[in-house]
DNA sequence: TCTGGGGTCCTAGGACCC
DNA sequence: TCTGGGGTCCTAGGACCC
């Protein structure tokens, strides 16, 4: 496989520049919703050591002295721009996965002269949308991400790098810190540091068992991809969301219930709209209520409650009503709340719930299975069967599609071996 | 003083059902 | 009466991504 990742450079900042070319060449930062944190930076801002995610007030001096342009975010604009970019990419690369607002995985398998193809894609996008992109290419998603990062850091590459040969990959990984690997965040990096694993190359040499134990099955897949194996397919059709939530903070902490109720209703309405747009209805509703966790001086209160609805719903008024009753059940007097939020989940297709599909039916495989168990017990004796099962139970978890025959064979194998 | 918001997946244990 | 089996739902916590 040949997998690319196309990634827009400094996406929000670049979008702002498209609509205001005067910002070209100047340091730009874009802020989060209520203008709290920095969520995007132009290269010039990065050069000033302005960090991602930091509150803007940390940079008061710098903003003034260096003339940094500070902008509120405009997600509608970014969404539109993103859709244009994805459509355009798709014209040149038919098999792709839209991974985030500013990234897409591209299946470049079978393309010839991958590097120059990527360069021309880059030029086309820049010319037609004004947005600069970088493209990393490798045998799988993880290595494509690695390549992309290196391409961005190395000006001579002009934003494109294809890691193809094993030797080339290993050379790149030898200089690549673990913390920059896609899927390794702060906690895993600390863990690796404690075990003296610093580069991605070193990580590829760690035993699978250790990786899976400490970093779960996701970690194992990731490490396997660093080794050059293909473990994660492109996700070609965007699946409907599994949960939809909304929980912006209040500008100021709020003590009184009616104001909180009103805010919650607004959030629920927004979620319900999203829910209907994807033709889902929710079975579960979660409400949470927080005080300001950053202010240790005020008494803290943090409550979350999930309730299941009597029937799946996507109706705004109905959902608001349920959310409100949950809110009232967790609300407590005497606190100043900074955030109230809602999360809808447990989705079913919207018209599905109207059909009476929820008749309980016993699973026929149960009967089948107990017959098999009886037969085995009769044939080998209860103790042997039990021992055999214990032997492989830990390592082998049959999934949903239980195949009784396969299961029986496994048990018999183990008995024969012991 | 001020500190984002919206998502995903995995693990593990307990209650309960067939 | 106990054991063996698969399975769901729920909760809670922990990790990650952009």
């Amino acid at each position: 496989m040949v997998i690319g990742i196309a990634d827009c450079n400094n996406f929000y900042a670049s979008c702002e520049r498209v609509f205001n070319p005067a910002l070209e060449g100047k340091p730009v930062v874009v802020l989060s919703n209520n203008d709290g944190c920095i969520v995007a930076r132009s290269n010039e801002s990065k050069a000033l050591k302005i960090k991602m995610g930091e509150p803007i007030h940390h940079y008061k001096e710098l903003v003034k002295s260096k003339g940094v342009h500070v902008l509120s975010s405009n997600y509608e604009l970014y969404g539109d721009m993103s859709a244009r970019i994805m459509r355009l990419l798709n014209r040149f690369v038919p098999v792709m996965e839209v991974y985030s607002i500013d990234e897409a995985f591209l299946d470049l398998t079978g393309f010839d002269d991958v590097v120059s193809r990527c360069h021309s894609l880059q030029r086309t996008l820049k010319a037609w949308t004004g947005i600069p992109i970088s493209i990393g290419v490798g045998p799988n998603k993880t290595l494509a991400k690695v390549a992309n990062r290196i391409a961005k850091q190395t000006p001579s590459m002009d934003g494109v790098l294809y890691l193809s040969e094993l030797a080339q990959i290993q050379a790149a990984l030898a200089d690549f810190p673990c913390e920059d690997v896609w899927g390794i965040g702060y906690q895993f990096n600390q863990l690796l540091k404690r075990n003296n694993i610093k580069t991605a190359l070193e990580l590829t040499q760690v035993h699978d068992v250790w990786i899976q134990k400490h970093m779960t099955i996701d970690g194992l897949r990731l490490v396997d991809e660093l080794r050059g194996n293909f473990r994660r397919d492109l996700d070609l059709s965007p699946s409907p969301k599994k949960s939809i939530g909304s929980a912006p903070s209040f500008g100021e902490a709020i003590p009184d219930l009616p104001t909180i109720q009103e805010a919650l209703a607004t959030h629920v309405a927004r979620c319900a709209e999203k829910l209907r747009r994807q033709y889902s209805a929710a079975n579960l509703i979660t409400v949470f209520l927080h005080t300001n966790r950053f202010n240790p001086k005020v008494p803290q209160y943090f409550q979350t409650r999930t309730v299941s609805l009597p029937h799946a719903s996507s109706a705004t008024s109905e959902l608001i009503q349920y959310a409100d009753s949950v809110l009232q059940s967790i609300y407590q007097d005497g606190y100043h709340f900074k955030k109230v939020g809602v999360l809808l989940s447990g989705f079913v297709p919207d018209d599905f719930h109207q059909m009476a599909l929820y008749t309980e039916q016993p699973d026929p495989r149960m009967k089948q299975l107990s017959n098999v168990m009886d037969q085995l017990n009769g044939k080998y004796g209860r103790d042997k069967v039990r021992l055999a099962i214990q032997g492989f139970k830990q390592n082998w978890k049959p999934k949903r599609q239980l195949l009784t025959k396969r299961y029986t064979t496994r048990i018999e194998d183990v008995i024969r071996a012991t």
Side-chain angles (χ1 to χ4, degrees):
Chain A
M1 299 293 287
V2 181
I3 304 297
I5 177 124
D7 183 358
C8 301
N9 301 342
N10 315 325
F11 185 55
Y12 297 170
S14 299
C15 287
E16 295 291 345
R17 277 181 176 164
V18 170
F19 290 87
N20 182 5
L23 297 173
E24 205 66 51
K26 310 240 171 75
V28 175
V29 299
V30 179
L31 303 182
S32 62
N33 271 359
N34 33 12
D35 287 350
C37 293
I38 294 163
V39 294
R41 306 156 297 159
S42 69
N43 285 341
E44 296 77 10
S45 301
K46 289 179 186 172
L48 293 173
K49 303 245 160 56
I50 294 177
K51 291 215 190 75
M52 185 73 169
E54 290 276 299
I56 185 66
H57 65 85
H58 285 179
Y59 296 103
K60 234 186 206 159
E61 297 299 311
L62 201 62
V63 166
K64 208 185 272 174
S65 67
K66 302 286 181 183
V68 179
H69 290 75
V70 180
L71 307 172
S72 298
S73 45
N74 179 349
Y75 290 103
E76 216 169 304
L77 168 69
Y78 311 147
D80 283 355
M81 187 58 100
S82 172
R84 282 175 56 193
I85 290 167
M86 297 306 168
R87 275 200 302 274
L88 195 51
L89 278 174
N90 201 214
R91 277 168 62 170
F92 298 95
V93 185
V95 181
M96 61 177 260
E97 168 188 344
V98 176
Y99 175 66
S100 73
I101 193 163
D102 68 338
E103 287 170 283
F105 285 105
L106 313 173
D107 187 350
L108 302 175
T109 311
F111 283 50
D112 42 50
D113 208 354
V114 168
V115 172
S116 56
R117 285 289 280 275
C118 289
H119 277 302
S120 84
L121 203 54
Q122 218 181 10
R123 282 192 299 273
T124 309
L125 247 88
K126 175 72 181 159
W128 292 14
T129 67
I131 302 288
I133 65 167
S134 307
I135 306 178
V137 187
N140 56 49
K141 286 182 170 181
T142 307
L143 288 171
K145 281 281 215 176
V146 168
N148 186 274
R149 190 164 189 112
I150 296 173
K152 278 194 177 173
Q153 288 165 352
T154 320
S156 63
M157 291 176 178
D158 276 333
V160 175
L161 172 61
Y162 179 19
L163 291 173
S164 52
E165 304 304 320
L166 191 61
Q168 188 193 6
I169 292 170
Q170 290 182 339
L173 296 186
D175 281 332
F176 202 83
C178 287
E179 59 189 316
D180 289 349
V181 173
W182 179 49
I184 296 184
Y186 180 80
Q187 294 297 334
F188 284 158
N189 189 239
Q190 294 302 307
L191 169 78
L192 295 175
K193 267 199 335 215
R194 284 197 297 277
N195 288 277
N196 207 25
I197 300 159
K198 292 180 292 282
T199 68
L201 186 64
E202 287 166 349
L203 183 56
T204 61
Q205 290 152 0
V206 178
H207 278 138
D208 286 0
V209 176
W210 190 89
I211 300 280
Q212 177 156 3
K213 183 173 171 209
H214 293 97
M215 299 170 69
T216 80
I217 191 76
D218 288 335
L220 187 57
R221 272 198 281 265
L222 177 161
V223 171
D224 212 32
E225 290 208 332
L226 284 177
R227 294 177 184 139
N229 301 316
F230 183 81
R231 292 291 295 271
R232 287 183 283 197
D233 267 316
L234 264 54
D235 188 358
L236 302 181
S237 53
S239 39
K241 301 237 177 309
K242 295 179 174 169
S243 65
I244 293 174
S246 174
S249 309
F250 295 121
E252 208 174 301
I254 305 290
D256 61 303
L257 184 57
T259 314
I260 297 171
Q261 284 175 302
E262 206 175 298
L264 181 61
T266 315
H267 303 159
V268 175
R270 193 198 300 173
C271 292
E273 207 175 293
K274 279 194 197 171
L275 188 64
R276 290 192 297 270
R277 222 176 297 144
Q278 66 163 35
Y279 305 105
S280 294
N283 268 306
L284 296 169
I285 190 163
T286 304
V287 174
F288 43 95
L289 188 60
H290 299 187
T291 49
N292 186 356
R293 68 195 164 104
F294 294 108
N295 187 349
K297 287 180 205 140
V298 302
Q300 296 290 313
Y301 183 83
F302 179 113
Q303 218 10 292
T304 300
R305 182 162 295 166
T306 302
V307 300
S308 51
L309 306 179
H311 58 89
S313 173
S314 64
T316 304
S317 57
E318 202 171 18
L319 292 170
I320 287 179
Q321 216 178 311
Y322 286 117
D324 193 62
S325 70
V326 180
L327 172 63
Q328 294 196 36
S329 77
I330 60 177
Y331 175 81
Q332 287 235 339
D333 259 331
Y335 294 97
H336 284 63
F337 293 103
K338 183 70 178 172
K339 183 187 278 196
V340 62
V342 62
L343 188 73
L344 303 177
S345 58
F347 296 161
V348 294
D350 203 5
D351 42 8
F352 215 64
H353 71 277
Q354 296 162 6
M355 311 192 263
L357 278 184
Y358 294 99
T359 51
E360 300 277 336
Q361 281 192 2
D363 188 334
R365 293 173 308 183
M366 298 296 178
K367 187 75 195 156
Q368 209 183 338
L369 185 68
S370 69
N371 287 342
V372 168
M373 290 307 292
D374 283 347
Q375 275 173 30
L376 284 173
N377 285 339
K379 191 166 166 191
Y380 298 103
R382 207 169 262 271
D383 288 345
K384 261 197 170 168
V385 173
R386 193 191 306 169
L387 266 176
I389 290 166
Q390 276 170 1
F392 72 84
K393 212 164 74 176
Q394 293 103 324
N395 305 324
W396 194 66
K397 294 183 191 161
K399 293 278 183 229
R400 325 200 109 131
Q401 327 78 333
L402 164 73
L403 297 174
T404 317
K405 192 167 170 200
R406 190 169 112 211
Y407 196 72
T408 317
T409 318
R410 283 293 296 267
I411 295 174
E412 290 188 319
D413 282 350
V414 177
I415 289 172
R416 230 170 280 127
T418 45

